[in-house]
Structures are given as C-alpha cells and as structure tokens.
Amino acid sequence: MIYYSKTHEYINMINDTEGYVGISAFAAKQLGNVVYVDLPEADDEFEQGEDFGAIESVKAASDLYAPVDLEVIEVNEALADDPRLINADPMKNFIMKVEVKDASQLEELMDEAAYADFCAKEH
Amino acid sequence: MHRLFPHTPEDISKMLGDCGLTELSQLYVDVPQELKLKEPYKLPARMSEPEVRRFFDDLGRRNRQGMICFAGAGFYDHYTPAAALNLVGRSEFLTAYTPYQPEISQGTLQYIFEYQTMMSRLTGMEISNASMYDGATATAEAMMMAVASVRKRRRVLVSATINPAYRRVVDTYAHYHGIEVETIAEADGVTSREDLEAKLQEFSDVAAVIVPVPNYYGIVEDYTGLSELVHSNKALLVMTCVAADLAVLKTPGEWGADIACGDSQSLGIPLSYGGPYLGFICSTKALMRKMPGRVVGATHDSEGRRCFVLTLQAREQHIRREKATSNICSNQGLMTLYVSIYMSLMGAEGLREIAEHGHAAAEYLAKKMTEDGRASLRYPDKPFLNEFVLRTDYPVDTLIHAAMKSENILAGVKLNEHEILMAATEMQTREDIDRLAAVARKCN
Amino acid sequence: MNKELYGNLVFELSHKGRKGYALPANGLDNAGALNDMPAAVMRTGAPDLPECDELTVVRHYNNMSTNNFGVDTGFYPLGSCTMKYNPKLNEEIASHRAFAGLHPFAPASAVQGALKAYWTLQQLLSEIGGMSEFTLNPFAGAHGELTGLMVIRRYHESRGDTKRRKVIVPDSAHGTNPASAAVAGLEIVEVKSRPDGTVDVDDLRPLLDDTVAAMMMTNPNTLGIFEKNIPEIAHMVHEAGALMYYDGANLNPMLGVARPGDMGFDVMHINLHKTFSTPHGGGGPGSGPVGVREGLEEFLPTPRVVRRHVNSDDQPVAEENRFAIEYGPEALGSISATLGNFAVQLRALSYILSLGSDGLMQVGPLATLNANYIKEMLKDDYLLPIETVCKHEFVFDGLRDKSTGVTTLNVAKRLLDHGYHAPTIYFPLLFHESLMIEPTESESLETLDDFIGVMHDIAREARETPDVVINAPHNTPITHPDDTEAALHPILTYDELAAQ
C-alpha cells in the first residue's frame, strides 16, 4: 500500500511497520533535473511533519518532510552518487527505508486516487 | 535638464503622448494626494563637478592626512598596488550586475573562480564562496552555517581572544537568530584549553567552537589537538582569520578546521575608513551545501568551451526564501577582483616578504617601545606576527595624542588606559619607529 | 563587448620566478625574520599562488573584462535592480586620497571630515526617506533588511513585548524579505496579492494580532504597482501594535513624489547601489542604509555617528571633536565591525549633491515615464497582465502569442544577441512567464526606441522562425552553459578543475 502526503512524499509500506519513503513522480517532474539529495542518516528519528532532508534541482529546492513518525532503517546511498535516479524512477529510487512508529498516522495520508486528485487541483 | 538626464522637453511630450498622457503628474494618479510631497526636498541645490570636488576637498582637509599607521585590530595599512586599484575601475567589471546571465558575464565569473581558488589555497580549505561583507559578518555567518550543519544544536563557544568588534556582531546575530553564545575564557592572552574542555563537558549541544588566527592581541595561538577535541564532541571548528597572515601561519586547513572565515582587507585593500573590505568563508567540501552566499563553478557550454556559472543556487535566499539560513544577496564582489589581482601580483613570495617585513618591524617596534623600561609587552612569552599589546606606565591617550600631533603617527588602537594594540606592516620604516619611540620617551 | 571568449585563467599564465611588486625598504633585517616563530604555528609550504609580472596581470584582467557586460557597455533593463548610470565623478570621489588611507579605529579628532561625510549623508537620506535618522552601516540591501527587522525586534523587546515573532510579507516580495526575516528569528506569514498585484487588505486583516512584529512591503511592489491602500494598511498594522517596514529596493520611482515616512512606514532601508547610483560591481559592494522614524533612533546599530555642540557637562565642544562615534545602551547591537562600506557612501553623497534637490525631484517621474513608454510600445506583442500606469518597472507575462513555444527565457537570451542585458525573468512568482523590465531615468528616448524595436523583432522571430529564439543566444562569448552539470558535480576551484 502506498500513501502520499500533501508535501508530496510517499511511503510505500512493505509490511505493517516498515516502508520506503521517497518523493512522488509528480514532485520529481515539478522539480526538474535533481542535482542533489540531502539524505538523513540511519537511526535518525523524525516526527510527522519534521524535515528529514532536502532535494535540489538547478533552480529549485524543497525540504523533505516525514509523512509519519518514523525511524530511519537505511538510506538509499545510490542517490548520493547519482541524484538523477529520482527523475528516472522516483518509486524505485526511494530515499530511505523506515520503521513507522505510529501506524495510525497512515490513515491521515492520501491513497493513490486521492493524491492524483490533489495534484490535479494544485497544478 | 540636469546633465544626468537625457530627456529634452520634446522627448517628454512625445513619450507622454504615446502613453496617452499629457503631464508627468498623471503617472502618479494612483498615489493618494495626501501622501505626495508638497514641496521640493529640503536639500542643497545641484552642484557642478568642480563644486562637488571642492566639497569633498574641504571635507578631506578635516581629516588628518598622511599619517604613519601603527593601528591594526583587524585592519592593516598595506601597500595597495596601482594595477589593482586601476583594474577594479574597468567599467565592464564595475558597472555589471550579479552574473546571472553567464553568456555575457564570463569576466565576473572568471575572476570569482580565480578568487575562490586562491582563497582555498591560502586558507588550506577545499572550497570558498564568492565573498561575504566583512570579517565580522563572515564570522557570524560561519556561526549560523555551523549551526545549520549540525542537527539540533544551537550553542557556540567563542574564544575570549577574538576581535571584540567581531564578537559584537556575532552576539547580535546570535541573539536574533536564536543561538546561545558562551565565552571560552582567556588565560595569559590565549584561549584556555581547560575552560574549553569544561564547557564541552558542561554543554551537550555545542554546534561550533570559534577561535581566531591570529588572536586580537596579535598572538599566534597554538591549536595543536584542538580539532580532535572539538570533533570528538561532534562540534565543528571555525577559525576566524586575518587573510594575509595565512601566507605564513599554519592554515585553518592544517589545524583541521571545518570552516575558515575572516576579512581579506589585509590583502592590500585600502583602509578607506572601514570599507569596502572583503569578508570570506571557506570550508571543507562536506559543508558545501551549507555555504552561504554565491558560489561559482566550472562547466562547459554547448560548444565544449570551458566556462563558469553561478552554481549551487538552490542554497540561496532567492530560492530558499523563508527556509534560508543566510539572507546574503549582494556581497563584496568587486573586492574579490581586487584581491585576485593583488595575489596575482604578489604571489606567495610577495605575501611572505610582506609578512617578514611586518614581523621584523613589529619586533623592532616592540624593542624600541620597551627600551626605556616604562612600557612592556603584555604577553612577553607569546609569539606574535606583526601586532602586540604594549602595557605602558604613562596613559595611552598621552602617547596617541602626542604621536599624532608631533609626528603625524597613529600609534595604535587603545585597549584601556594603560594598554595599546600596536601593529606594523611593510609600510613603516625603522625611522618611523624611532620617531614614535622618541615620542613615547617623553610621555608622562 | 568582445564576442570572442578570452577564457584564460591567471594560473595558466603563471611563470615561476616572475613577480609584480616591490616593497619599500624599511631599514630592517627582514629576510629570515620569521625564523624565530615556533614551527608549530607556521604553515608548511607556501600557498600555490600565481607568479606574474605586472603587464601580464594587467592584460589578463583587461582581456577578461571584455567578456563582461556593464551599464557602461549597454542598456541594462534588469527589473528591480535599478541599473542606472554610475557617474564617473563618484568614482573619483570614492578614491579621494584624503579618505582612502583612514584607519577605521583612528581617533575621531583625526577623521572629522569622514565623520561629517557620513553624518551629512545620514541627514540627506532622512529628508529623502521622511525618516528621523539613518544608519549607514549595513553593507547591502539584504543586510539593511536584516538590520531593520532587528530594530523592530529590539523595539518590541524594549517594551517587554516578546511574543511578537511574526512578520507579514506579501507573496510578491523580493526573495530576500522572507530570508532576512528568517535570519532575524522571525516567522514569515504570507499575505496574498489581488489580481493587480497589490496587497489584499481583506486577506491581511485576519492575520493581524498581537503576535505580529511587522509588515514588510515594497512600494511600488515588485510588479511596479503603487499600493494605494498603503494608508489603510499602515493604520491596520499600527492598530495591531506592529511596525511597518519599507523595502527600499523600489524607491527610485518615489524620488520627487512621496516619502516612505509619509506613507506610514516606521523603518526602511535604501539600496545606495540602486537608487543612489553606486555601481553594482558585479554583485557588490553595495550599501543598505536603514532609516527609522522618531522614537526608534536609539535602537539603531552601533557604532553610531553623532554631532555634538555641547558635551555631557553642557560645555561647548571644539570644532575638532564635533562629530563622534557612540555605542548607546539601547542599540540592537552591532551588525558590522566598522561604519560600513564607507567608499560606497561617499559615492552616494557625491551623487545626491550632484543632483541637488531639483535634480532628485525629477528622478522618479523620468524613471516612471521611461517604464511606461516601453510598456505601452510593447504591449501589442507581450502579454501585459496588469493594465494600469506602472511605476519604475512592469512585468510582462511572456509573449502574447503562446503558440510559438518561445518562452521568457528564450526572449531574454535572444536579447543578449542584440547587445542588451536581459530583463529580470521568472520573478515575481505571480506569473508563469514573468519578464520584468526597469529602464531607469538614465536612458534616452533613442535607446528605448532601439530596445523596443529589438523586442518587436524578437516577437516576430518567435512567430516566423521560433527556433532562432529558442536556441539563442548565438552571438555571445559562450552559449548554453551546462548548469545541471555544474550543480551535479560542482567544480569550485582550479585544483578541482585540473584534477579532472
């Protein structure tokens, strides 16, 4: 199950407590060529809404916000070498694998359909 | 019409007509009547060029002219090469804006790239930005940069031996930006390692430790083991420096600093009563994304030519807006051209010779000023490059005023009633020093 | 401008053993003087700096300069930057020998002329801004904003009112406004613009409460539109106990017309490098003096320059001590080690004296006339979203004909081919294709007509041969530099470049 936040992060749950966090395809397209991802570190903990990193293109920058309370299990180091992977496939090239601290917060996020509507309105 | 406006009355009528208007005042119909000026500014009438020159000549005569300058305290009287003074006046450089259009700004971008290279080599750091305002604001920005680089730590430790004019600015920025500043005590003129260790023990939220090279009293402090101590506490080491001195002194890079900052006025920039000078920030490449201000990078154009652009712009205020950790936009751009030219003329050998001259003159000055036993070095056991604190039996004011009146010499910067900070450079001679010492001998 | 790329770096011209200096003989034993320094504090090895003779250096930088475009090269219609002519006299004054050698910590009695120059400019700016007093210490516009916001925080602090931490900023504001607020420890609240770009008073009203420290505005705004509701806005903000901050980046069209102080602003900054003709220097040094209304003077940053006729004991002060430097107890603190970019201040003073009261009165109207003239002559080809009289600048939302695929960026780059600097593009953020033009009062009718002609040519090209515009520039020293590569793999020094 994939959930989306209003700030365009997704969390792709792989079981009840673990998932991958990245940015949506919509956000990746808006940013353009990604040139840098400021990655968190494993074991860092973030509260819902807290910024855990940043993503930059040539002429834009955006903070990344934790969609739920979480702890970082691992980060996708490949993005440090080639941030453009995000443009290539933002779902496959997640930013970090996390442990969700409070699964009930997932209910506050949007599912795929709701997020598509949300983006259509924002554009 | 005024010489600075090209508009003839006919031009004005034609242009107004093309806008469907008849009078200039119609351009301001949207400005409420009650806000408009009712009468011209209460200012002097226009002046011709000769009148303006005369005005400034008259003002200039109220300044004491041609003083031999032993004042330092961060700003030094150095040789200012004619070529550097002249070339910064090239109007293609002088009248350009920030190089946002790289296709027609390669001149500006190229000299900034040269400057960044020379500063990184001088400080021993990996990278440099395209300048800050002055040494004081550069130090304050380095503090904010360090705080932004270290998660959830908002306290900095600042040595008591940094320039107090810098410290005032650091304190101001910290106060409004929400950073706690603690002073590392001074012991016999240098940063107390004992107190630093104690403070690192006491506070678990230290983002940075800031120390000077050389310190305010002119002392070149020995920072052996400092970076290991600071880094083992997960804080960053910031060194605030007098740029020219790094040609001979151990560099922030060699000491293991994360950020080097300070003022480059010492690289031959005219004193000019306070500015423009040139603040700098250099750092490790790891901190590149937290660097404030503009940065120039090399790239290629579509025809494969090497060229330069402003890069890493996503860090900057105009993109980050309220998320920015620095708001710097205009910097001291043209002064980076000045010091690039200066360093190109001087080379490493020239900077070394200047340091030698300054050191030889300062040692001779110290010797002569203490000869009659009525003054002594405040920190006799500490090494200094070209500046030191003299403790006098006679009032410092007496010395300063007597030297100014009888020899047209600025003796130094007063620290308190009986202590004066004195600096020497390549600009003062043995004879100047003898004259100053002779004045001192007569002080009571 | 030379269309051939010069391109050498000084490191490539270095030749071991050459030098471009000679030091004065000082009568001392200098060689080996440093041998008594402890080895532990000395650097190992000299920095790798160029070794060049003077002529090599002079030719290098002269040749480099020919690939640069300045106001002295050609028309520079860069919106919000006020690229007016920088009179040559000002440069002469700035390097006047009677000021160039003064040490910033020299006793006041030795620098009375410099202090008087500073004090005089303070006074002149106060009259022009409608303020009570100015500090000239801030080094640039953004530094002025930061200083002004600190004044405001200090003011609230002095009244024991510590909960005011918000600053209201219009969504059309210059990027430095929110950034300056953030650095000053303030939280930014955006207020929306109406379709004409002015502040929506109804949107503002609910934002005003006792947590608001200030409202920050530029007037005219970044669309070049005068905020005619300014008296009402100022009233509302003051009622809420907050102060009004004037971003002086757009002060030029107001010269001779209206003063920020009379509009209800409490604190303002002025960009001397915009309104008062000091050169931009490829990005600086500028100067951003900050003015305050009566009652806020004591909060201005230290050091402050004051004029005294009597001392604290009411005794007359001698002429040689008339001007002094003070560090007052109520000040917000220091934002500079010295009195700021002094030589820049001298240039601005020279400019104001050259124009005089009557000249200054004409600056705003002529700058505004030039902007309106271009706007009216080009609105057939370029989309003008706001159809009213503008002030010193205005914004097109790209070409009127959107079917050609030609963007604002393309138009801007095509202008470079024709020997013009590009306008400001993609700012303000209110429109997708913002193209912001500010001609200043310095430019003649002929220059404007030539520019208008070229803009029309570009619009025609966009329809007939769009690829020519889309692929521009064609006629510049370099073309299409790879920004993405530069940001992806930053090469910031010659050492990194050489290591490639």
Side-chain angles (χ1 to χ4, degrees), chain A residues 45-61:
Chain A
E45 290 187 31
F46 299 94
E47 287 173 20
Q48 186 176 34
E50 190 181 353
D51 65 296
F52 67 80
I55 186 164
E56 296 178 5
S57 65
V58 174
K59 298 246 158 79

PDB file of all heavy atoms in Angstrom, chain A residues 45-61:
ATOM      1  N   GLU A  45      15.669   9.721  14.014  1.00  0.00           N
ATOM      2  CA  GLU A  45      14.222   9.631  14.231  1.00  0.00           C
ATOM      3  C   GLU A  45      13.579  10.969  13.898  1.00  0.00           C
ATOM      4  O   GLU A  45      14.144  12.030  14.191  1.00  0.00           O
ATOM      5  CB  GLU A  45      13.917   9.267  15.684  1.00  0.00           C
ATOM      6  CG  GLU A  45      14.320   7.847  15.993  1.00  0.00           C
ATOM      7  CD  GLU A  45      13.866   7.409  17.385  1.00  0.00           C
ATOM      8  OE1 GLU A  45      12.818   7.907  17.848  1.00  0.00           O
ATOM      9  OE2 GLU A  45      14.567   6.571  17.987  1.00  0.00           O
ATOM     10  N   PHE A  46      12.428  10.907  13.277  1.00  0.00           N
ATOM     11  CA  PHE A  46      11.724  12.137  12.907  1.00  0.00           C
ATOM     12  C   PHE A  46      10.261  12.029  13.293  1.00  0.00           C
ATOM     13  O   PHE A  46       9.676  10.952  13.217  1.00  0.00           O
ATOM     14  CB  PHE A  46      11.834  12.388  11.391  1.00  0.00           C
ATOM     15  CG  PHE A  46      13.244  12.561  10.924  1.00  0.00           C
ATOM     16  CD1 PHE A  46      13.961  11.479  10.441  1.00  0.00           C
ATOM     17  CD2 PHE A  46      13.864  13.804  10.981  1.00  0.00           C
ATOM     18  CE1 PHE A  46      15.278  11.623  10.018  1.00  0.00           C
ATOM     19  CE2 PHE A  46      15.181  13.955  10.563  1.00  0.00           C
ATOM     20  CZ  PHE A  46      15.885  12.862  10.077  1.00  0.00           C
ATOM     21  N   GLU A  47       9.711  13.170  13.670  1.00  0.00           N
ATOM     22  CA  GLU A  47       8.277  13.218  13.933  1.00  0.00           C
ATOM     23  C   GLU A  47       7.539  13.564  12.656  1.00  0.00           C
ATOM     24  O   GLU A  47       8.116  14.169  11.750  1.00  0.00           O
ATOM     25  CB  GLU A  47       7.977  14.274  15.005  1.00  0.00           C
ATOM     26  CG  GLU A  47       8.407  13.852  16.388  1.00  0.00           C
ATOM     27  CD  GLU A  47       8.259  14.982  17.390  1.00  0.00           C
ATOM     28  OE1 GLU A  47       7.481  15.931  17.108  1.00  0.00           O
ATOM     29  OE2 GLU A  47       8.910  14.912  18.428  1.00  0.00           O
ATOM     30  N   GLN A  48       6.289  13.224  12.627  1.00  0.00           N
ATOM     31  CA  GLN A  48       5.471  13.553  11.461  1.00  0.00           C
ATOM     32  C   GLN A  48       5.576  15.057  11.171  1.00  0.00           C
ATOM     33  O   GLN A  48       5.439  15.877  12.072  1.00  0.00           O
ATOM     34  CB  GLN A  48       4.011  13.175  11.748  1.00  0.00           C
ATOM     35  CG  GLN A  48       3.116  13.343  10.534  1.00  0.00           C
ATOM     36  CD  GLN A  48       1.693  12.883  10.804  1.00  0.00           C
ATOM     37  OE1 GLN A  48       1.186  13.022  11.923  1.00  0.00           O
ATOM     38  NE2 GLN A  48       1.046  12.323   9.794  1.00  0.00           N
ATOM     39  N   GLY A  49       5.834  15.405   9.912  1.00  0.00           N
ATOM     40  CA  GLY A  49       5.912  16.808   9.527  1.00  0.00           C
ATOM     41  C   GLY A  49       7.283  17.429   9.702  1.00  0.00           C
ATOM     42  O   GLY A  49       7.539  18.532   9.230  1.00  0.00           O
ATOM     43  N   GLU A  50       8.177  16.731  10.374  1.00  0.00           N
ATOM     44  CA  GLU A  50       9.515  17.266  10.591  1.00  0.00           C
ATOM     45  C   GLU A  50      10.340  17.098   9.302  1.00  0.00           C
ATOM     46  O   GLU A  50      10.186  16.100   8.591  1.00  0.00           O
ATOM     47  CB  GLU A  50      10.183  16.509  11.735  1.00  0.00           C
ATOM     48  CG  GLU A  50      11.474  17.134  12.209  1.00  0.00           C
ATOM     49  CD  GLU A  50      12.139  16.342  13.355  1.00  0.00           C
ATOM     50  OE1 GLU A  50      11.519  15.376  13.859  1.00  0.00           O
ATOM     51  OE2 GLU A  50      13.263  16.684  13.713  1.00  0.00           O
ATOM     52  N   ASP A  51      11.230  18.074   9.008  1.00  0.00           N
ATOM     53  CA  ASP A  51      12.003  17.883   7.776  1.00  0.00           C
ATOM     54  C   ASP A  51      13.166  16.946   8.031  1.00  0.00           C
ATOM     55  O   ASP A  51      13.863  17.040   9.024  1.00  0.00           O
ATOM     56  CB  ASP A  51      12.457  19.223   7.183  1.00  0.00           C
ATOM     57  CG  ASP A  51      13.424  19.969   8.046  1.00  0.00           C
ATOM     58  OD1 ASP A  51      13.015  20.368   9.169  1.00  0.00           O
ATOM     59  OD2 ASP A  51      14.573  20.151   7.639  1.00  0.00           O
ATOM     60  N   PHE A  52      13.322  15.981   7.137  1.00  0.00           N
ATOM     61  CA  PHE A  52      14.376  14.976   7.305  1.00  0.00           C
ATOM     62  C   PHE A  52      15.486  15.119   6.272  1.00  0.00           C
ATOM     63  O   PHE A  52      16.465  14.391   6.287  1.00  0.00           O
ATOM     64  CB  PHE A  52      13.773  13.560   7.276  1.00  0.00           C
ATOM     65  CG  PHE A  52      13.198  13.141   5.946  1.00  0.00           C
ATOM     66  CD1 PHE A  52      14.029  12.689   4.921  1.00  0.00           C
ATOM     67  CD2 PHE A  52      11.825  13.180   5.715  1.00  0.00           C
ATOM     68  CE1 PHE A  52      13.503  12.287   3.698  1.00  0.00           C
ATOM     69  CE2 PHE A  52      11.286  12.786   4.489  1.00  0.00           C
ATOM     70  CZ  PHE A  52      12.136  12.346   3.473  1.00  0.00           C
ATOM     71  N   GLY A  53      15.336  16.077   5.362  1.00  0.00           N
ATOM     72  CA  GLY A  53      16.344  16.251   4.333  1.00  0.00           C
ATOM     73  C   GLY A  53      15.858  17.279   3.344  1.00  0.00           C
ATOM     74  O   GLY A  53      14.896  18.003   3.607  1.00  0.00           O
ATOM     75  N   ALA A  54      16.532  17.346   2.210  1.00  0.00           N
ATOM     76  CA  ALA A  54      16.146  18.307   1.194  1.00  0.00           C
ATOM     77  C   ALA A  54      16.520  17.755  -0.166  1.00  0.00           C
ATOM     78  O   ALA A  54      17.371  16.868  -0.277  1.00  0.00           O
ATOM     79  CB  ALA A  54      16.833  19.647   1.424  1.00  0.00           C
ATOM     80  N   ILE A  55      15.855  18.291  -1.164  1.00  0.00           N
ATOM     81  CA  ILE A  55      16.132  17.862  -2.525  1.00  0.00           C
ATOM     82  C   ILE A  55      16.269  19.111  -3.384  1.00  0.00           C
ATOM     83  O   ILE A  55      15.523  20.071  -3.216  1.00  0.00           O
ATOM     84  CB  ILE A  55      15.004  16.910  -3.001  1.00  0.00           C
ATOM     85  CG1 ILE A  55      15.328  16.309  -4.363  1.00  0.00           C
ATOM     86  CG2 ILE A  55      13.649  17.575  -3.017  1.00  0.00           C
ATOM     87  CD1 ILE A  55      14.468  15.093  -4.675  1.00  0.00           C
ATOM     88  N   GLU A  56      17.267  19.107  -4.254  1.00  0.00           N
ATOM     89  CA  GLU A  56      17.550  20.307  -5.039  1.00  0.00           C
ATOM     90  C   GLU A  56      17.638  19.995  -6.530  1.00  0.00           C
ATOM     91  O   GLU A  56      18.218  18.980  -6.921  1.00  0.00           O
ATOM     92  CB  GLU A  56      18.899  20.910  -4.620  1.00  0.00           C
ATOM     93  CG  GLU A  56      18.931  21.408  -3.199  1.00  0.00           C
ATOM     94  CD  GLU A  56      20.298  21.949  -2.804  1.00  0.00           C
ATOM     95  OE1 GLU A  56      21.200  22.022  -3.673  1.00  0.00           O
ATOM     96  OE2 GLU A  56      20.473  22.291  -1.624  1.00  0.00           O
ATOM     97  N   SER A  57      17.088  20.891  -7.318  1.00  0.00           N
ATOM     98  CA  SER A  57      17.375  20.888  -8.746  1.00  0.00           C
ATOM     99  C   SER A  57      18.218  22.129  -9.013  1.00  0.00           C
ATOM    100  O   SER A  57      18.633  22.798  -8.071  1.00  0.00           O
ATOM    101  CB  SER A  57      16.075  20.907  -9.548  1.00  0.00           C
ATOM    102  OG  SER A  57      15.384  22.114  -9.314  1.00  0.00           O
ATOM    103  N   VAL A  58      18.479  22.443 -10.286  1.00  0.00           N
ATOM    104  CA  VAL A  58      19.357  23.581 -10.558  1.00  0.00           C
ATOM    105  C   VAL A  58      18.774  24.875  -9.992  1.00  0.00           C
ATOM    106  O   VAL A  58      19.468  25.678  -9.384  1.00  0.00           O
ATOM    107  CB  VAL A  58      19.600  23.740 -12.079  1.00  0.00           C
ATOM    108  CG1 VAL A  58      20.385  25.012 -12.365  1.00  0.00           C
ATOM    109  CG2 VAL A  58      20.383  22.543 -12.609  1.00  0.00           C
ATOM    110  N   LYS A  59      17.465  25.054 -10.173  1.00  0.00           N
ATOM    111  CA  LYS A  59      16.877  26.338  -9.806  1.00  0.00           C
ATOM    112  C   LYS A  59      15.780  26.230  -8.759  1.00  0.00           C
ATOM    113  O   LYS A  59      14.987  27.147  -8.583  1.00  0.00           O
ATOM    114  CB  LYS A  59      16.317  27.021 -11.060  1.00  0.00           C
ATOM    115  CG  LYS A  59      17.417  27.316 -12.083  1.00  0.00           C
ATOM    116  CD  LYS A  59      17.639  28.809 -12.277  1.00  0.00           C
ATOM    117  CE  LYS A  59      19.014  29.141 -12.834  1.00  0.00           C
ATOM    118  NZ  LYS A  59      19.199  28.970 -14.232  1.00  0.00           N
ATOM    119  N   ALA A  60      15.682  25.095  -8.073  1.00  0.00           N
ATOM    120  CA  ALA A  60      14.656  24.958  -7.039  1.00  0.00           C
ATOM    121  C   ALA A  60      15.178  24.077  -5.918  1.00  0.00           C
ATOM    122  O   ALA A  60      16.129  23.318  -6.099  1.00  0.00           O
ATOM    123  CB  ALA A  60      13.383  24.367  -7.628  1.00  0.00           C
ATOM    124  N   ALA A  61      14.554  24.223  -4.769  1.00  0.00           N
ATOM    125  CA  ALA A  61      14.920  23.384  -3.638  1.00  0.00           C
ATOM    126  C   ALA A  61      13.679  23.134  -2.827  1.00  0.00           C
ATOM    127  O   ALA A  61      12.774  23.958  -2.791  1.00  0.00           O
ATOM    128  CB  ALA A  61      15.968  24.080  -2.784  1.00  0.00           C
TER     129      ALA A  61
END
